[in-house]
Amino acid sequence: MNYKNKTIWITGASSGIGEAFAHFFYRDGANLILSSRRKEELERVKTELGGDDSRIKVLPLDLADSKSLEEKSQAALTLFGGIDVLVNNGGVSQRSLFAETDMDTIRRLMEINFFGSVALTRFVLPHMMERKSGQIIVTSSVAGKFGTKYRSGYAASKHALQGIFDCIRQEMYEYNIAVTMVCPGPIKTNITQNSLTADGSSFGKMGSLHSDAMDANEMVQRIWSDIKAEKEEIYISSPKERLGLIMKRISPWLLNKILKRSKVI
Ligand SMILES: NC(=O)c1ccc[n+]([C@@H]2O[C@H](COP(=O)([O-])OP(=O)(O)OC[C@H]3O[C@@H](n4cnc5c(N)ncnc54)[C@H](OP(=O)(O)O)[C@@H]3O)[C@@H](O)[C@H]2O)c1
């Protein structure tokens, strides 16, 4: 897809991967709608992009506030008169053992990562279908393909995204709407600090798995040609996670043995 003059709605645009996406789409000539909860951080991203109000709008929203998302979608659709690309990127991870985790925390992970993204897609898709064009990009995860310790609710939410967007993709071929699932391994962002612990409070620190990883700009740079080519699944991870993805398909038993001994924080 050529993004020049297209309208891109990005969730989780205040930080990390979403912020990096905003820079790449903007450089390609797109108009942006930046969403997440923290208005001041979205304004910072807008200012760093040059602050052009005719090309960048800020639309704060909370993906956990399911009742507000239809209205937010209508607002997004009117800002530039339509949406060409929805980037479902906003999300939160987890650092807690399942047996210790409050059910409310599991539900919150599903609400933000799964239901939030699904709701925005549900409200925006009919407009893309009318135009017979569009692209839905979803930041899933390697955790959408296999699970590890401390990530039960997170991996469940990402597996659920994989499942629903596989179905949506099939339904959208006849409308010329592409579904692009991005499956990163660890990327150096605030994801670990913001991860939910058992009682729903933030983990608050960065683990070495992420502090030693590539940063979000490098990640988006590496996948940019695949994003523009509307590739259906994009993997961006270290050789270790890539091997894990292959083993999950050909020898899940062996993968489980290796994961049992692996550092996952
Ligand atoms: N970093 C990694 O290693 C990695 C690997 C695989 C997949 N991912 C996925 O990449 C996506 C982006 O994460 P990141 O790594 O860039 O982490 P990040 O820096 O923590 O960014 C998360 C973004 O999501 C937004 N967000 C969180 N809760 C929200 C809510 N309730 N409503 C609306 N927005 C919310 C945050 O903004 P506000 O706080 O302003 O709301 C922020 O913009 C996530 O879906 C994550 O699962 C990350």
mmCIF file with all atom_site columns, all heavy atoms in Angstrom, residues 142-161:
data_model
loop_
_atom_site.group_PDB
_atom_site.id
_atom_site.type_symbol
_atom_site.label_atom_id
_atom_site.label_alt_id
_atom_site.label_comp_id
_atom_site.label_asym_id
_atom_site.label_entity_id
_atom_site.label_seq_id
_atom_site.pdbx_PDB_ins_code
_atom_site.Cartn_x
_atom_site.Cartn_y
_atom_site.Cartn_z
_atom_site.occupancy
_atom_site.B_iso_or_equiv
_atom_site.pdbx_formal_charge
_atom_site.auth_seq_id
_atom_site.auth_comp_id
_atom_site.auth_asym_id
_atom_site.auth_atom_id
_atom_site.pdbx_PDB_model_num
ATOM 1   N N   . VAL A 1 142 ? 5.063  -13.071 19.584 1.00 0.00 ? 142 VAL A N   1
ATOM 2   C CA  . VAL A 1 142 ? 5.452  -14.484 19.594 1.00 0.00 ? 142 VAL A CA  1
ATOM 3   C C   . VAL A 1 142 ? 4.585  -15.227 20.627 1.00 0.00 ? 142 VAL A C   1
ATOM 4   O O   . VAL A 1 142 ? 4.251  -16.392 20.452 1.00 0.00 ? 142 VAL A O   1
ATOM 5   C CB  . VAL A 1 142 ? 6.967  -14.608 19.927 1.00 0.00 ? 142 VAL A CB  1
ATOM 6   C CG1 . VAL A 1 142 ? 7.350  -16.023 20.288 1.00 0.00 ? 142 VAL A CG1 1
ATOM 7   C CG2 . VAL A 1 142 ? 7.803  -14.125 18.754 1.00 0.00 ? 142 VAL A CG2 1
ATOM 8   N N   . ALA A 1 143 ? 4.149  -14.477 21.679 1.00 0.00 ? 143 ALA A N   1
ATOM 9   C CA  . ALA A 1 143 ? 3.263  -15.075 22.694 1.00 0.00 ? 143 ALA A CA  1
ATOM 10  C C   . ALA A 1 143 ? 1.881  -15.406 22.137 1.00 0.00 ? 143 ALA A C   1
ATOM 11  O O   . ALA A 1 143 ? 1.084  -16.061 22.805 1.00 0.00 ? 143 ALA A O   1
ATOM 12  C CB  . ALA A 1 143 ? 3.126  -14.136 23.895 1.00 0.00 ? 143 ALA A CB  1
ATOM 13  N N   . GLY A 1 144 ? 1.592  -14.945 20.912 1.00 0.00 ? 144 GLY A N   1
ATOM 14  C CA  . GLY A 1 144 ? 0.365  -15.351 20.232 1.00 0.00 ? 144 GLY A CA  1
ATOM 15  C C   . GLY A 1 144 ? 0.511  -16.700 19.556 1.00 0.00 ? 144 GLY A C   1
ATOM 16  O O   . GLY A 1 144 ? -0.456 -17.237 19.008 1.00 0.00 ? 144 GLY A O   1
ATOM 17  N N   . LYS A 1 145 ? 1.730  -17.228 19.565 1.00 0.00 ? 145 LYS A N   1
ATOM 18  C CA  . LYS A 1 145 ? 2.027  -18.517 18.918 1.00 0.00 ? 145 LYS A CA  1
ATOM 19  C C   . LYS A 1 145 ? 2.383  -19.611 19.915 1.00 0.00 ? 145 LYS A C   1
ATOM 20  O O   . LYS A 1 145 ? 2.126  -20.778 19.684 1.00 0.00 ? 145 LYS A O   1
ATOM 21  C CB  . LYS A 1 145 ? 3.187  -18.344 17.917 1.00 0.00 ? 145 LYS A CB  1
ATOM 22  C CG  . LYS A 1 145 ? 2.885  -17.355 16.799 1.00 0.00 ? 145 LYS A CG  1
ATOM 23  C CD  . LYS A 1 145 ? 1.822  -17.918 15.875 1.00 0.00 ? 145 LYS A CD  1
ATOM 24  C CE  . LYS A 1 145 ? 1.508  -16.969 14.734 1.00 0.00 ? 145 LYS A CE  1
ATOM 25  N NZ  . LYS A 1 145 ? 0.476  -17.485 13.834 1.00 0.00 ? 145 LYS A NZ  1
ATOM 26  N N   . PHE A 1 146 ? 3.099  -19.232 20.998 1.00 0.00 ? 146 PHE A N   1
ATOM 27  C CA  . PHE A 1 146 ? 3.331  -20.198 22.078 1.00 0.00 ? 146 PHE A CA  1
ATOM 28  C C   . PHE A 1 146 ? 3.459  -19.480 23.421 1.00 0.00 ? 146 PHE A C   1
ATOM 29  O O   . PHE A 1 146 ? 3.832  -18.316 23.475 1.00 0.00 ? 146 PHE A O   1
ATOM 30  C CB  . PHE A 1 146 ? 4.536  -21.119 21.798 1.00 0.00 ? 146 PHE A CB  1
ATOM 31  C CG  . PHE A 1 146 ? 5.867  -20.430 21.660 1.00 0.00 ? 146 PHE A CG  1
ATOM 32  C CD1 . PHE A 1 146 ? 6.624  -20.084 22.770 1.00 0.00 ? 146 PHE A CD1 1
ATOM 33  C CD2 . PHE A 1 146 ? 6.389  -20.166 20.404 1.00 0.00 ? 146 PHE A CD2 1
ATOM 34  C CE1 . PHE A 1 146 ? 7.865  -19.473 22.634 1.00 0.00 ? 146 PHE A CE1 1
ATOM 35  C CE2 . PHE A 1 146 ? 7.629  -19.550 20.258 1.00 0.00 ? 146 PHE A CE2 1
ATOM 36  C CZ  . PHE A 1 146 ? 8.366  -19.199 21.366 1.00 0.00 ? 146 PHE A CZ  1
ATOM 37  N N   . GLY A 1 147 ? 3.115  -20.196 24.485 1.00 0.00 ? 147 GLY A N   1
ATOM 38  C CA  . GLY A 1 147 ? 3.095  -19.589 25.815 1.00 0.00 ? 147 GLY A CA  1
ATOM 39  C C   . GLY A 1 147 ? 4.316  -19.958 26.651 1.00 0.00 ? 147 GLY A C   1
ATOM 40  O O   . GLY A 1 147 ? 4.978  -20.963 26.401 1.00 0.00 ? 147 GLY A O   1
ATOM 41  N N   . THR A 1 148 ? 4.587  -19.095 27.639 1.00 0.00 ? 148 THR A N   1
ATOM 42  C CA  . THR A 1 148 ? 5.668  -19.375 28.592 1.00 0.00 ? 148 THR A CA  1
ATOM 43  C C   . THR A 1 148 ? 5.158  -19.059 30.001 1.00 0.00 ? 148 THR A C   1
ATOM 44  O O   . THR A 1 148 ? 4.053  -18.528 30.158 1.00 0.00 ? 148 THR A O   1
ATOM 45  C CB  . THR A 1 148 ? 6.893  -18.455 28.335 1.00 0.00 ? 148 THR A CB  1
ATOM 46  O OG1 . THR A 1 148 ? 6.481  -17.107 28.570 1.00 0.00 ? 148 THR A OG1 1
ATOM 47  C CG2 . THR A 1 148 ? 7.429  -18.612 26.929 1.00 0.00 ? 148 THR A CG2 1
ATOM 48  N N   . LYS A 1 149 ? 5.990  -19.311 30.985 1.00 0.00 ? 149 LYS A N   1
ATOM 49  C CA  . LYS A 1 149 ? 5.660  -18.918 32.360 1.00 0.00 ? 149 LYS A CA  1
ATOM 50  C C   . LYS A 1 149 ? 5.407  -17.412 32.450 1.00 0.00 ? 149 LYS A C   1
ATOM 51  O O   . LYS A 1 149 ? 5.987  -16.648 31.676 1.00 0.00 ? 149 LYS A O   1
ATOM 52  C CB  . LYS A 1 149 ? 6.860  -19.223 33.262 1.00 0.00 ? 149 LYS A CB  1
ATOM 53  C CG  . LYS A 1 149 ? 6.793  -20.556 33.982 1.00 0.00 ? 149 LYS A CG  1
ATOM 54  C CD  . LYS A 1 149 ? 8.081  -20.811 34.704 1.00 0.00 ? 149 LYS A CD  1
ATOM 55  C CE  . LYS A 1 149 ? 7.974  -20.509 36.180 1.00 0.00 ? 149 LYS A CE  1
ATOM 56  N NZ  . LYS A 1 149 ? 9.160  -21.001 36.922 1.00 0.00 ? 149 LYS A NZ  1
ATOM 57  N N   . TYR A 1 150 ? 4.613  -16.991 33.396 1.00 0.00 ? 150 TYR A N   1
ATOM 58  C CA  . TYR A 1 150 ? 4.355  -15.575 33.735 1.00 0.00 ? 150 TYR A CA  1
ATOM 59  C C   . TYR A 1 150 ? 3.512  -14.804 32.715 1.00 0.00 ? 150 TYR A C   1
ATOM 60  O O   . TYR A 1 150 ? 3.346  -13.596 32.840 1.00 0.00 ? 150 TYR A O   1
ATOM 61  C CB  . TYR A 1 150 ? 5.664  -14.790 33.952 1.00 0.00 ? 150 TYR A CB  1
ATOM 62  C CG  . TYR A 1 150 ? 6.624  -15.417 34.913 1.00 0.00 ? 150 TYR A CG  1
ATOM 63  C CD1 . TYR A 1 150 ? 7.855  -15.898 34.473 1.00 0.00 ? 150 TYR A CD1 1
ATOM 64  C CD2 . TYR A 1 150 ? 6.302  -15.546 36.269 1.00 0.00 ? 150 TYR A CD2 1
ATOM 65  C CE1 . TYR A 1 150 ? 8.746  -16.478 35.351 1.00 0.00 ? 150 TYR A CE1 1
ATOM 66  C CE2 . TYR A 1 150 ? 7.192  -16.131 37.154 1.00 0.00 ? 150 TYR A CE2 1
ATOM 67  C CZ  . TYR A 1 150 ? 8.408  -16.598 36.692 1.00 0.00 ? 150 TYR A CZ  1
ATOM 68  O OH  . TYR A 1 150 ? 9.294  -17.164 37.557 1.00 0.00 ? 150 TYR A OH  1
ATOM 69  N N   . ARG A 1 151 ? 3.047  -15.471 31.644 1.00 0.00 ? 151 ARG A N   1
ATOM 70  C CA  . ARG A 1 151 ? 2.361  -14.725 30.575 1.00 0.00 ? 151 ARG A CA  1
ATOM 71  C C   . ARG A 1 151 ? 0.975  -15.304 30.257 1.00 0.00 ? 151 ARG A C   1
ATOM 72  O O   . ARG A 1 151 ? 0.474  -15.102 29.162 1.00 0.00 ? 151 ARG A O   1
ATOM 73  C CB  . ARG A 1 151 ? 3.159  -14.799 29.263 1.00 0.00 ? 151 ARG A CB  1
ATOM 74  C CG  . ARG A 1 151 ? 4.597  -14.422 29.291 1.00 0.00 ? 151 ARG A CG  1
ATOM 75  C CD  . ARG A 1 151 ? 4.802  -12.923 29.256 1.00 0.00 ? 151 ARG A CD  1
ATOM 76  N NE  . ARG A 1 151 ? 6.148  -12.616 28.786 1.00 0.00 ? 151 ARG A NE  1
ATOM 77  C CZ  . ARG A 1 151 ? 7.259  -12.788 29.496 1.00 0.00 ? 151 ARG A CZ  1
ATOM 78  N NH1 . ARG A 1 151 ? 7.192  -13.286 30.722 1.00 0.00 ? 151 ARG A NH1 1
ATOM 79  N NH2 . ARG A 1 151 ? 8.431  -12.470 28.974 1.00 0.00 ? 151 ARG A NH2 1
ATOM 80  N N   . SER A 1 152 ? 0.364  -16.049 31.212 1.00 0.00 ? 152 SER A N   1
ATOM 81  C CA  . SER A 1 152 ? -0.862 -16.799 30.867 1.00 0.00 ? 152 SER A CA  1
ATOM 82  C C   . SER A 1 152 ? -1.945 -15.928 30.230 1.00 0.00 ? 152 SER A C   1
ATOM 83  O O   . SER A 1 152 ? -2.413 -16.219 29.118 1.00 0.00 ? 152 SER A O   1
ATOM 84  C CB  . SER A 1 152 ? -1.411 -17.494 32.116 1.00 0.00 ? 152 SER A CB  1
ATOM 85  O OG  . SER A 1 152 ? -1.517 -16.564 33.185 1.00 0.00 ? 152 SER A OG  1
ATOM 86  N N   . GLY A 1 153 ? -2.325 -14.846 30.918 1.00 0.00 ? 153 GLY A N   1
ATOM 87  C CA  . GLY A 1 153 ? -3.389 -13.986 30.396 1.00 0.00 ? 153 GLY A CA  1
ATOM 88  C C   . GLY A 1 153 ? -2.949 -13.256 29.139 1.00 0.00 ? 153 GLY A C   1
ATOM 89  O O   . GLY A 1 153 ? -3.731 -13.064 28.201 1.00 0.00 ? 153 GLY A O   1
ATOM 90  N N   . TYR A 1 154 ? -1.695 -12.845 29.113 1.00 0.00 ? 154 TYR A N   1
ATOM 91  C CA  . TYR A 1 154 ? -1.150 -12.131 27.944 1.00 0.00 ? 154 TYR A CA  1
ATOM 92  C C   . TYR A 1 154 ? -1.128 -13.045 26.720 1.00 0.00 ? 154 TYR A C   1
ATOM 93  O O   . TYR A 1 154 ? -1.618 -12.679 25.646 1.00 0.00 ? 154 TYR A O   1
ATOM 94  C CB  . TYR A 1 154 ? 0.266  -11.650 28.272 1.00 0.00 ? 154 TYR A CB  1
ATOM 95  C CG  . TYR A 1 154 ? 0.951  -10.903 27.133 1.00 0.00 ? 154 TYR A CG  1
ATOM 96  C CD1 . TYR A 1 154 ? 0.500  -9.646  26.737 1.00 0.00 ? 154 TYR A CD1 1
ATOM 97  C CD2 . TYR A 1 154 ? 2.060  -11.445 26.487 1.00 0.00 ? 154 TYR A CD2 1
ATOM 98  C CE1 . TYR A 1 154 ? 1.134  -8.948  25.712 1.00 0.00 ? 154 TYR A CE1 1
ATOM 99  C CE2 . TYR A 1 154 ? 2.696  -10.761 25.466 1.00 0.00 ? 154 TYR A CE2 1
ATOM 100 C CZ  . TYR A 1 154 ? 2.236  -9.506  25.086 1.00 0.00 ? 154 TYR A CZ  1
ATOM 101 O OH  . TYR A 1 154 ? 2.870  -8.822  24.068 1.00 0.00 ? 154 TYR A OH  1
ATOM 102 N N   . ALA A 1 155 ? -0.571 -14.258 26.897 1.00 0.00 ? 155 ALA A N   1
ATOM 103 C CA  . ALA A 1 155 ? -0.506 -15.199 25.764 1.00 0.00 ? 155 ALA A CA  1
ATOM 104 C C   . ALA A 1 155 ? -1.918 -15.560 25.301 1.00 0.00 ? 155 ALA A C   1
ATOM 105 O O   . ALA A 1 155 ? -2.169 -15.684 24.094 1.00 0.00 ? 155 ALA A O   1
ATOM 106 C CB  . ALA A 1 155 ? 0.267  -16.455 26.161 1.00 0.00 ? 155 ALA A CB  1
ATOM 107 N N   . ALA A 1 156 ? -2.836 -15.702 26.258 1.00 0.00 ? 156 ALA A N   1
ATOM 108 C CA  . ALA A 1 156 ? -4.229 -16.013 25.874 1.00 0.00 ? 156 ALA A CA  1
ATOM 109 C C   . ALA A 1 156 ? -4.794 -14.893 25.013 1.00 0.00 ? 156 ALA A C   1
ATOM 110 O O   . ALA A 1 156 ? -5.437 -15.146 23.985 1.00 0.00 ? 156 ALA A O   1
ATOM 111 C CB  . ALA A 1 156 ? -5.080 -16.195 27.129 1.00 0.00 ? 156 ALA A CB  1
ATOM 112 N N   . SER A 1 157 ? -4.549 -13.640 25.412 1.00 0.00 ? 157 SER A N   1
ATOM 113 C CA  . SER A 1 157 ? -5.109 -12.509 24.645 1.00 0.00 ? 157 SER A CA  1
ATOM 114 C C   . SER A 1 157 ? -4.504 -12.456 23.245 1.00 0.00 ? 157 SER A C   1
ATOM 115 O O   . SER A 1 157 ? -5.199 -12.156 22.274 1.00 0.00 ? 157 SER A O   1
ATOM 116 C CB  . SER A 1 157 ? -4.880 -11.185 25.389 1.00 0.00 ? 157 SER A CB  1
ATOM 117 O OG  . SER A 1 157 ? -3.503 -10.841 25.401 1.00 0.00 ? 157 SER A OG  1
ATOM 118 N N   . LYS A 1 158 ? -3.221 -12.774 23.132 1.00 0.00 ? 158 LYS A N   1
ATOM 119 C CA  . LYS A 1 158 ? -2.566 -12.716 21.810 1.00 0.00 ? 158 LYS A CA  1
ATOM 120 C C   . LYS A 1 158 ? -2.966 -13.923 20.952 1.00 0.00 ? 158 LYS A C   1
ATOM 121 O O   . LYS A 1 158 ? -3.123 -13.783 19.736 1.00 0.00 ? 158 LYS A O   1
ATOM 122 C CB  . LYS A 1 158 ? -1.040 -12.621 21.966 1.00 0.00 ? 158 LYS A CB  1
ATOM 123 C CG  . LYS A 1 158 ? -0.566 -11.351 22.668 1.00 0.00 ? 158 LYS A CG  1
ATOM 124 C CD  . LYS A 1 158 ? -0.851 -10.096 21.864 1.00 0.00 ? 158 LYS A CD  1
ATOM 125 C CE  . LYS A 1 158 ? -0.249 -8.844  22.521 1.00 0.00 ? 158 LYS A CE  1
ATOM 126 N NZ  . LYS A 1 158 ? -0.481 -7.618  21.750 1.00 0.00 ? 158 LYS A NZ  1
ATOM 127 N N   . HIS A 1 159 ? -3.129 -15.098 21.564 1.00 0.00 ? 159 HIS A N   1
ATOM 128 C CA  . HIS A 1 159 ? -3.648 -16.255 20.806 1.00 0.00 ? 159 HIS A CA  1
ATOM 129 C C   . HIS A 1 159 ? -5.062 -15.940 20.289 1.00 0.00 ? 159 HIS A C   1
ATOM 130 O O   . HIS A 1 159 ? -5.414 -16.282 19.156 1.00 0.00 ? 159 HIS A O   1
ATOM 131 C CB  . HIS A 1 159 ? -3.707 -17.516 21.675 1.00 0.00 ? 159 HIS A CB  1
ATOM 132 C CG  . HIS A 1 159 ? -2.424 -18.294 21.723 1.00 0.00 ? 159 HIS A CG  1
ATOM 133 N ND1 . HIS A 1 159 ? -1.282 -17.828 22.333 1.00 0.00 ? 159 HIS A ND1 1
ATOM 134 C CD2 . HIS A 1 159 ? -2.105 -19.513 21.226 1.00 0.00 ? 159 HIS A CD2 1
ATOM 135 C CE1 . HIS A 1 159 ? -0.319 -18.732 22.219 1.00 0.00 ? 159 HIS A CE1 1
ATOM 136 N NE2 . HIS A 1 159 ? -0.792 -19.761 21.542 1.00 0.00 ? 159 HIS A NE2 1
ATOM 137 N N   . ALA A 1 160 ? -5.867 -15.300 21.142 1.00 0.00 ? 160 ALA A N   1
ATOM 138 C CA  . ALA A 1 160 ? -7.245 -14.966 20.741 1.00 0.00 ? 160 ALA A CA  1
ATOM 139 C C   . ALA A 1 160 ? -7.229 -13.995 19.556 1.00 0.00 ? 160 ALA A C   1
ATOM 140 O O   . ALA A 1 160 ? -8.026 -14.124 18.627 1.00 0.00 ? 160 ALA A O   1
ATOM 141 C CB  . ALA A 1 160 ? -8.003 -14.373 21.921 1.00 0.00 ? 160 ALA A CB  1
ATOM 142 N N   . LEU A 1 161 ? -6.307 -13.032 19.591 1.00 0.00 ? 161 LEU A N   1
ATOM 143 C CA  . LEU A 1 161 ? -6.195 -12.102 18.457 1.00 0.00 ? 161 LEU A CA  1
ATOM 144 C C   . LEU A 1 161 ? -5.854 -12.858 17.176 1.00 0.00 ? 161 LEU A C   1
ATOM 145 O O   . LEU A 1 161 ? -6.413 -12.591 16.112 1.00 0.00 ? 161 LEU A O   1
ATOM 146 C CB  . LEU A 1 161 ? -5.102 -11.061 18.726 1.00 0.00 ? 161 LEU A CB  1
ATOM 147 C CG  . LEU A 1 161 ? -5.438 -9.915  19.691 1.00 0.00 ? 161 LEU A CG  1
ATOM 148 C CD1 . LEU A 1 161 ? -4.209 -9.058  19.944 1.00 0.00 ? 161 LEU A CD1 1
ATOM 149 C CD2 . LEU A 1 161 ? -6.570 -9.043  19.139 1.00 0.00 ? 161 LEU A CD2 1
#
